Amino acid sequence: MSDVHDLTRALQKKNESKIVLLVADGLGGLPQKPGDLTELETAKTPNLDALAQRGTSGLSTPVLPGITSGSGPGHLGLFGYDPLQYQIGRGVLEALGIDFELGPDDVAIRGNFCTLDEHGNITDRRAGRIGNDIAAPLCEKLNKIKIPGIEVFVQHVKEYRLVVVFRGPGLGGDVHDTDPQKTGVPPLVPEAKAPGSEKTIEVAHQFLQQARDILKNDSPANFLTLRGIAKRPPIPTFEEVYGTRAGAIAVYPMYRGLARLVGMDVLDAGQTLSDQCDRLKAAWDDYDFFFMHFKYTDSTGEDGNFEAKVQRTEELDAAIPRIMEQDPTVLIVTGDHCTPSKMKSHSWHPVPTLITAENCRFDGRPGFSEKDCLLGGLGQFEAKHLMLMALAHAGRLEKFGA
Amino acid sequence: MSDVHDLTRALQKKNESKIVLLVADGLGGLPQKPGDLTELETAKTPNLDALAQRGTSGLSTPVLPGITSGSGPGHLGLFGYDPLQYQIGRGVLEALGIDFELGPDDVAIRGNFCTLDEHGNITDRRAGRIGNDIAAPLCEKLNKIKIPGIEVFVQHVKEYRLVVVFRGPGLGGDVHDTDPQKTGVPPLVPEAKAPGSEKTIEVAHQFLQQARDILKNDSPANFLTLRGIAKRPPIPTFEEVYGTRAGAIAVYPMYRGLARLVGMDVLDAGQTLSDQCDRLKAAWDDYDFFFMHFKYTDSTGEDGNFEAKVQRTEELDAAIPRIMEQDPTVLIVTGDHCTPSKMKSHSWHPVPTLITAENCRFDGRPGFSEKDCLLGGLGQFEAKHLMLMALAHAGRLEKFGA
């Protein structure tokens, strides 16, 4: 019984508890220089501080120390799935990011429009970064491609980027990219990484042949490359491994998609955190577990905008009373990874995390910050164990052994 | 070399050191409300505090974060055996709990007397919770059952509960319960969970057939069900993996049994902690390692009696000078899991742990409590690594690599 989910399957217990997992994307940060405060330490967060005073806090490691996590592994970890065991291909993430409902047999591909010269060599791997106005109609043309026995979907993402999905029986996902990663050479032909993807390669050939013909007069976007070819991994559902009915309240498609991957119901989240709180209230009786996602602590960090991240953190804090109105049995506030505005990117630093519940071992920390979490009762822990603690504090796990 | 015991086998070293592992069952707790003190923080523990001041402390996770451990896995972890790798069946624990000396080929079973109606359907799964006065003589009758080539032992536990042991070559332990978990239906027939238990099933059939005949006029206890059918897992001995001769000084049978499972000698412990200290003194020259078990920090927690747990903690504290009289090289004080009186049950919270030895990295904590341990030098660690630290502080491990 080395898999945590073998344990949760064996120990799960039903009750009337309600768990809310509030993920502030990219929550933790860095001070601008030694001795300064982080974004979270700078923000005025009276509601989070009050939770910390009657809860327990700690620092979560998304994947491994020193490993900077993307949103996919970051969220899988928070959902209790080992991010090193359940790896999600880029094509799948790209499809999730446009709210495409991927089935278990679909092969998802990230496409890039590119420019070919008269010899068929690539001169621009991004087709001059064409605008949406040009790319979207081209995707509509490609979406009409027919391949016998296979459904083909082509959807525009942004600028030169698109998603291609092949749906049909017997398609494998182990196929190399056709992007040669340089110019002056032709696109690569689809080749297998491992056995079992012969049919996908044949389908990709036919797709590219038709695409070449369709796009031949659309220079600079007169062809496309296929990247991150992948199927969604087989992931056991939340309901199966934890015995909880889970609802996701996320504004951005990527996070709705990640929730869908683990079998959560994806609820209408509106556009704002306030809309999300309304949805939480309306759906309260329908689920045992709610995943709420707040994007802007990440995007402001990515922008390198310290002040904006502080302000967005305060916006998050202001929503806490709306959530507490529902009187959740367990409320967890955490992030999927840190996004320090100093770095303008995701980082590997451990993520501030807070649990409030009746049977917390209160650790007496006065507030919610990186420094407080460092001294908090949860210590430093692997994100994939957070769900065990959520279930424990909700009384949803039986004792292990006698 | 993924197994910790491969390391200890390779690195173990003999010397004259003495290690005492004092397990206060269910040691850690919770405050009644935020800001209040736990049982351990409330108790006056001058002796433990003095040890903390010249030792190092931390918090031990018995199995995994959020997992509430039973006594079996809790103790195996403290003894350095991964509790997820070495799982002990209910029948085995029940047999250990009555001091039955289980051999490696024995199949142990937890039996429940039950009531059958004239159609053979169960009307009461606990036979009206008959008293010991009725059940004990019935167990004596069942103990006379003979099966060719097999030794059969039947021993009464309490009320409607008994232990059945089959001893003989070729018996497997992968057999389903015969308790259908409901009334109005007949008991189930023994069936295999996995190959290798065919002979056990045949023996169980014969046993149940004879039992039905023996008990037929003993309504309400006119039959029994078999549950938790299991063999003890093959566990390498303390002597083999650590090179220490170990003696167990425990009053309760379950803990004597767990010590026996890992090959400790089980010593006469008397009835009180004072008796146990006498035994420690008397046996001091005979062993390298002593496991002492104190039950009442758990049982008072299970009773939900905060004050009584405080008092029992003070009783534990008072025994420390008796142990220190022997001048152990290493003294460890810990628990197998927490039993907060607030929860009246075992819990998942990490367990206060203290090591004193000449080469501790003293962490300057002023006392022994959950809060002190949170800031202690051992940090938060997995219980299965405690034995490595015990051996290290005793100078009983060679350097790993050159």
Side-chain angles (χ1 to χ4, degrees):
Chain A
M1 195 182 284
S2 59
D3 187 322
V4 162
H5 289 152
D6 288 339
L7 262 185
T8 59
R9 282 186 190 97
L11 302 180
Q12 61 173 248
K13 181 164 76 168
K14 309 269 188 203
N15 62 24
E16 298 299 306
S17 66
K18 302 280 186 184
I19 301 170
V20 176
L21 174 68
L22 174 60
V23 177
D25 207 296
L27 179 64
L30 289 175
Q32 300 292 84
K33 58 179 206 294
D36 282 3
L37 302 176
T38 66
E39 299 91 333
L40 181 57
E41 289 162 359
T42 302
K44 289 187 176 52
T45 55
N47 297 302
L48 288 165
D49 294 345
L51 291 183
Q53 285 159 26
R54 59 190 197 75
T56 181
S57 63
L59 291 169
S60 157
T61 296
V63 179
L64 282 175
I67 299 298
T68 294
S69 180
S71 295
H75 276 83
L76 281 191
L78 295 177
F79 298 157
Y81 298 80
D82 185 338
L84 291 170
Q85 179 182 349
Y86 296 98
Q87 298 201 26
I88 307 175
R90 294 295 306 212
V92 172
L93 282 172
E94 199 80 354
L96 298 180
I98 56 167
D99 241 346
F100 189 96
E101 291 208 25
L102 271 188
D105 295 328
D106 294 358
V107 172
I109 303 167
R110 178 176 165 170
N112 276 13
F113 284 114
C114 65
T115 310
L116 302 185
D117 66 14
E118 65 276 22
H119 308 295
N121 291 328
I122 295 177
T123 57
D124 189 326
R125 291 175 50 243
R126 296 183 187 84
R129 294 184 184 271
I130 48 169
N132 297 338
D133 54 327
I134 297 174
L138 296 181
C139 289
E140 283 175 33
K141 290 206 289 183
L142 294 175
N143 195 36
K144 298 202 170 76
I145 288 177
K146 302 287 180 211
I147 297 175
I150 298 291
E151 282 184 275
V152 176
F153 305 87
V154 179
Q155 290 192 17
H156 183 232
V157 176
K158 196 177 176 185
E159 299 172 345
Y160 60 91
R161 284 162 47 200
L162 60 152
V163 161
V164 180
V165 174
F166 301 145
R167 177 172 295 166
L171 295 176
D174 287 318
V175 180
H176 284 290
D177 291 359
T178 70
D179 182 346
Q181 297 285 338
K182 58 184 174 187
T183 57
V185 296
L188 302 173
V189 294
E191 280 184 25
K193 283 188 213 172
S197 294
E198 294 75 11
K199 187 169 174 185
T200 308
I201 287 172
E202 174 53 30
V203 169
H205 271 297
Q206 291 188 38
F207 175 83
L208 288 170
Q209 211 160 28
Q210 294 189 46
R212 195 183 283 260
D213 194 52
I214 289 168
L215 298 173
K216 65 183 175 210
N217 299 319
D218 289 310
S219 185
N222 60 1
F223 199 49
L224 79 165
T225 56
L226 306 181
R227 308 171 57 175
I229 300 168
K231 294 175 75 170
R232 52 180 267 193
I235 300 185
T237 67
F238 235 63
E239 172 106 40
E240 192 241 322
V241 296
Y242 304 132
T244 57
R245 297 162 302 160
I249 308 178
V251 173
Y252 278 66
M254 164 80 86
Y255 310 96
R256 289 200 292 266
L258 288 164
R260 207 179 275 122
L261 264 190
V262 298
M264 293 189 198
D265 282 356
V266 172
L267 311 181
D268 179 15
Q271 292 300 318
T272 66
L273 198 46
S274 175
D275 294 342
Q276 289 172 276
C277 291
D278 290 342
R279 173 56 54 197
L280 180 72
K281 184 175 181 180
W284 193 248
D285 292 339
D286 300 336
Y287 296 94
D288 311 306
F289 182 98
F290 295 90
F291 158 53
M292 295 181 76
H293 180 266
F294 182 67
K295 176 68 179 170
Y296 305 103
T297 31
D298 175 63
S299 48
T300 49
E302 293 265 12
D303 292 343
N305 191 333
F306 189 99
E307 286 309 319
K309 189 171 178 191
V310 168
Q311 188 207 311
R312 291 300 200 165
T313 304
E314 293 179 351
E315 182 183 336
L316 176 81
D317 183 79
I320 297 296
R322 294 285 319 276
I323 295 170
M324 293 307 285
E325 274 171 23
Q326 309 311 323
D327 195 20
T329 317
V330 179
L331 170 60
I332 296 176
V333 184
T334 187
D336 54 339
H337 53 74
C338 293
T339 308
S341 51
K342 182 182 179 183
M343 294 174 66
K344 298 186 182 181
S345 68
H346 295 197
S347 80
W348 62 89
H349 303 90
V351 183
T353 302
L354 168 67
I355 297 182
T356 48
E358 172 68 18
N359 288 324
C360 277
R361 181 179 281 162
F362 313 109
D363 56 21
R365 302 315 308 159
F368 183 54
S369 69
E370 288 85 350
K371 279 200 188 67
D372 282 302
C373 288
L374 181 57
L375 301 175
L378 298 175
Q380 300 210 22
F381 61 95
E382 296 178 76
K384 68 180 179 187
H385 291 149
L386 183 66
M387 273 301 301
L388 295 178
M389 290 191 277
L391 295 168
H393 283 87
R396 284 181 172 268
L397 290 177
E398 302 278 1
K399 186 165 63 176
F400 173 64
Chain B
M1 195 181 286
S2 59
D3 188 323
V4 163
H5 290 151
D6 288 341
L7 263 184
T8 59
R9 282 186 190 97
L11 303 181
Q12 62 174 251
K13 181 165 75 169
K14 309 271 187 201
N15 61 24
E16 298 300 308
S17 66
K18 302 280 185 183
I19 301 169
V20 177
L21 173 67
L22 174 60
V23 177
D25 208 297
L27 177 65
L30 289 176
Q32 301 291 86
K33 58 179 205 294
D36 282 5
L37 301 176
T38 66
E39 299 90 332
L40 181 57
E41 289 161 0
T42 303
K44 289 188 177 53
T45 54
N47 297 301
L48 288 165
D49 294 346
L51 292 183
Q53 286 159 25
R54 59 189 198 75
T56 181
S57 62
L59 291 169
S60 156
T61 296
V63 180
L64 281 176
I67 298 297
T68 295
S69 179
S71 295
H75 276 82
L76 281 191
L78 295 177
F79 297 157
Y81 298 79
D82 185 339
L84 291 170
Q85 180 183 346
Y86 295 99
Q87 297 201 30
I88 308 174
R90 297 291 305 214
V92 171
L93 282 171
E94 199 81 355
L96 298 180
I98 57 167
D99 244 346
F100 189 97
E101 291 207 28
L102 271 188
D105 295 327
D106 294 358
V107 172
I109 303 167
R110 177 175 164 172
N112 277 11
F113 283 114
C114 64
T115 311
L116 301 185
D117 66 15
E118 66 275 23
H119 308 296
N121 291 327
I122 295 177
T123 58
D124 189 324
R125 291 174 51 241
R126 296 182 188 83
R129 293 183 184 272
I130 48 169
N132 296 338
D133 55 327
I134 297 174
L138 296 182
C139 289
E140 283 175 33
K141 288 206 290 182
L142 293 176
N143 196 37
K144 301 203 168 76
I145 287 177
K146 301 287 177 210
I147 297 174
I150 298 292
E151 282 185 275
V152 176
F153 305 88
V154 179
Q155 290 192 15
H156 183 233
V157 176
K158 196 176 174 186
E159 299 173 348
Y160 59 91
R161 285 162 47 200
L162 59 151
V163 162
V164 179
V165 174
F166 301 145
R167 178 173 293 166
L171 295 175
D174 287 318
V175 179
H176 285 290
D177 291 359
T178 70
D179 182 346
Q181 297 286 336
K182 57 185 174 185
T183 57
V185 297
L188 302 173
V189 294
E191 281 184 21
K193 282 188 211 171
S197 294
E198 294 76 11
K199 186 169 174 186
T200 308
I201 287 173
E202 175 53 31
V203 169
H205 270 298
Q206 292 187 39
F207 176 82
L208 289 171
Q209 211 160 27
Q210 295 189 45
R212 194 183 285 260
D213 194 53
I214 289 169
L215 298 172
K216 65 185 175 209
N217 298 320
D218 289 309
S219 185
N222 60 1
F223 199 48
L224 80 164
T225 56
L226 306 181
R227 307 171 58 173
I229 300 167
K231 294 175 75 170
R232 52 179 267 193
I235 300 185
T237 67
F238 236 63
E239 173 104 41
E240 192 243 320
V241 296
Y242 305 131
T244 57
R245 297 161 301 159
I249 308 177
V251 173
Y252 279 66
M254 164 81 86
Y255 310 96
R256 288 201 292 266
L258 288 164
R260 206 179 275 123
L261 264 190
V262 298
M264 292 189 199
D265 282 356
V266 172
L267 311 181
D268 178 15
Q271 292 300 317
T272 66
L273 199 45
S274 175
D275 294 342
Q276 290 172 274
C277 291
D278 291 343
R279 173 57 53 196
L280 180 72
K281 184 174 181 180
W284 192 249
D285 292 339
D286 301 336
Y287 297 94
D288 311 306
F289 182 98
F290 295 90
F291 157 53
M292 294 181 75
H293 180 266
F294 181 66
K295 176 68 179 169
Y296 304 103
T297 32
D298 174 65
S299 48
T300 49
E302 291 264 13
D303 291 343
N305 192 334
F306 189 99
E307 286 309 318
K309 190 171 177 191
V310 169
Q311 188 208 309
R312 290 300 200 167
T313 305
E314 293 177 352
E315 182 183 337
L316 176 81
D317 184 77
I320 297 296
R322 294 286 317 278
I323 296 169
M324 293 306 286
E325 274 171 25
Q326 310 310 323
D327 194 20
T329 319
V330 179
L331 171 60
I332 295 177
V333 184
T334 188
D336 55 339
H337 53 75
C338 293
T339 307
S341 52
K342 182 182 179 183
M343 294 176 67
K344 299 185 180 181
S345 67
H346 295 196
S347 80
W348 62 88
H349 302 90
V351 183
T353 302
L354 168 67
I355 298 182
T356 47
E358 172 66 19
N359 288 324
C360 278
R361 181 178 283 163
F362 311 109
D363 55 22
R365 303 313 308 160
F368 184 53
S369 70
E370 289 85 351
K371 277 201 187 65
D372 282 302
C373 288
L374 179 57
L375 302 176
L378 298 175
Q380 300 209 22
F381 63 94
E382 296 179 74
K384 68 180 178 187
H385 292 149
L386 183 66
M387 273 303 299
L388 295 179
M389 290 192 278
L391 296 167
H393 283 88
R396 285 181 171 266
L397 290 178
E398 301 279 2
K399 185 164 62 177
F400 173 64

